[in-house]
Amino acid sequence: DGGITQSPKYLFRKEGQNVTLSCEQNLNHDAMYWYRQDPGQGLRLIYYSQIVNDFQKGDIAEGYSVSREKKESFPLTVTSAQKNPTAFYLCASSRGSNNYGYTFGSGTRLTVV
Amino acid sequence: AQTVTQSQPEMSVQEAETVTLSCTYDTSESNYYLFWYKQPPSRQMILVIRQEAYKQQNATENRFSVNFQKAAKSFSLKISDSQLGDTAMYFCAFMKSPFQGAQKLVFGQGTRLTINP
């Protein structure tokens, strides 16, 4: 079945370390997105990409980086510059010229210890 | 920039009752799309219903329907005959009309809905 796979489900990071969250899709979708979810704040866009080797900053990109070397993959790196990284991270994808919304992954819970 | 506001942080109803979740949005766009997503305790985001702004007819999906008031920029979700499985966070979301490529979804803060037995 087609879908989006995020891994790992839970991730623990020590302060000062970079960590990479994986997102893979087999839906042949052109566009991919990363959102951060915090209690009471809904989902906020970190980065998005509409084609391979191209990506744009979202509303809260500071302290994060991404790459899009393959259509299927859109990993997110949480760097040590992100001051409050503990959150739930959701990856999503959509077709080009999409107006049907997104398909979401099951998320990664990142905790700084 | 577009904003989406959900003014009800939490709601609770009895099973089989009807419940309405509120959503307002702010935009200068004339054509756009509105969505309701459900996030159950598993945290998987699930699309509930979608509305195209240029369509006057309100969207319906089984027990779920919307009341879309374009002039008032209001997009409420009605759940009829509520079931225990409807317990979840519900997010209202806005998307500008896409031409090509990625289009951002802007989300509200969410409403936590609890269905009691």
Side-chain angles (χ1 to χ4, degrees):
Chain A
D1 289 337
I4 298 180
T5 301
Q6 288 188 244
S7 61
K9 190 173 181 67
Y10 298 97
L11 189 58
F12 297 88
R13 189 195 90 173
K14 293 182 179 180
E15 286 193 22
Q17 285 184 338
N18 293 354
V19 64
T20 297
L21 283 60
S22 172
C23 178
E24 303 276 336
Q25 55 100 356
N26 61 2
L27 299 164
N28 199 33
H29 283 174
D30 294 306
M32 297 187 74
Y33 313 80
W34 274 105
Y35 281 84
R36 170 178 171 143
Q37 185 176 12
D38 295 284
Q41 296 195 49
L43 279 70
R44 294 181 291 168
L45 182 64
I46 304 172
Y47 268 98
Y48 65 103
S49 167
Q50 60 184 56
I51 56 172
V52 174
N53 293 323
D54 183 64
F55 47 84
Q56 287 80 41
K57 293 181 179 180
D59 300 318
I60 55 166
E62 184 175 354
Y64 300 96
S65 66
V66 294
S67 63
R68 187 88 186 274
E69 298 177 1
K70 299 186 300 181
K71 186 176 184 177
E72 302 79 15
S73 179
F74 191 41
L76 174 74
T77 296
V78 184
T79 74
S80 56
Q82 170 50 238
K83 298 305 179 187
N84 185 21
T86 294
F88 187 65
Y89 292 86
L90 280 161
C91 179
S93 70
S94 67
R95 293 194 300 256
S97 302
N98 166 68
N99 58 19
Y100 287 89
Y102 298 170
T103 300
F104 282 89
S106 56
T108 293
R109 173 69 182 177
L110 173 64
T111 303
V112 174
V113 297
Chain B
Q2 288 74 31
T3 60
V4 178
T5 302
Q6 295 178 248
S7 59
Q8 305 151 311
E10 295 189 26
M11 297 187 71
S12 178
V13 298
Q14 296 298 119
E15 192 175 7
E17 290 183 346
T18 294
V19 60
T20 299
L21 280 58
S22 300
C23 173
T24 58
Y25 58 94
D26 187 24
T27 184
S28 58
E29 302 286 331
S30 59
N31 194 19
Y32 48 87
Y33 297 84
L34 295 163
F35 305 83
W36 278 99
Y37 279 88
K38 167 185 177 180
Q39 187 181 44
S42 67
R43 307 200 77 170
Q44 178 71 52
M45 293 286 283
I46 302 165
L47 178 63
V48 175
I49 201 164
R50 167 183 171 272
Q51 175 77 43
E52 300 172 35
Y54 63 87
K55 288 188 176 180
Q56 292 187 345
Q57 185 174 6
N58 289 323
T60 62
E61 288 287 343
N62 300 314
R63 297 182 295 108
F64 298 87
S65 62
V66 298
N67 183 5
F68 174 48
Q69 302 289 330
K70 191 172 185 179
K73 296 181 181 176
S74 171
F75 183 60
S76 61
L77 174 69
K78 185 172 82 172
I79 306 175
S80 303
D81 185 26
S82 59
Q83 301 174 358
L84 297 179
D86 295 333
T87 293
M89 281 287 288
Y90 286 81
F91 292 97
C92 179
F94 171 99
M95 177 189 286
K96 291 193 297 184
S97 180
F99 293 99
Q100 193 169 10
Q103 286 296 332
K104 296 182 286 185
L105 266 178
V106 178
F107 288 87
Q109 305 92 321
T111 295
R112 183 176 302 279
L113 176 64
T114 301
I115 309 298
N116 298 306

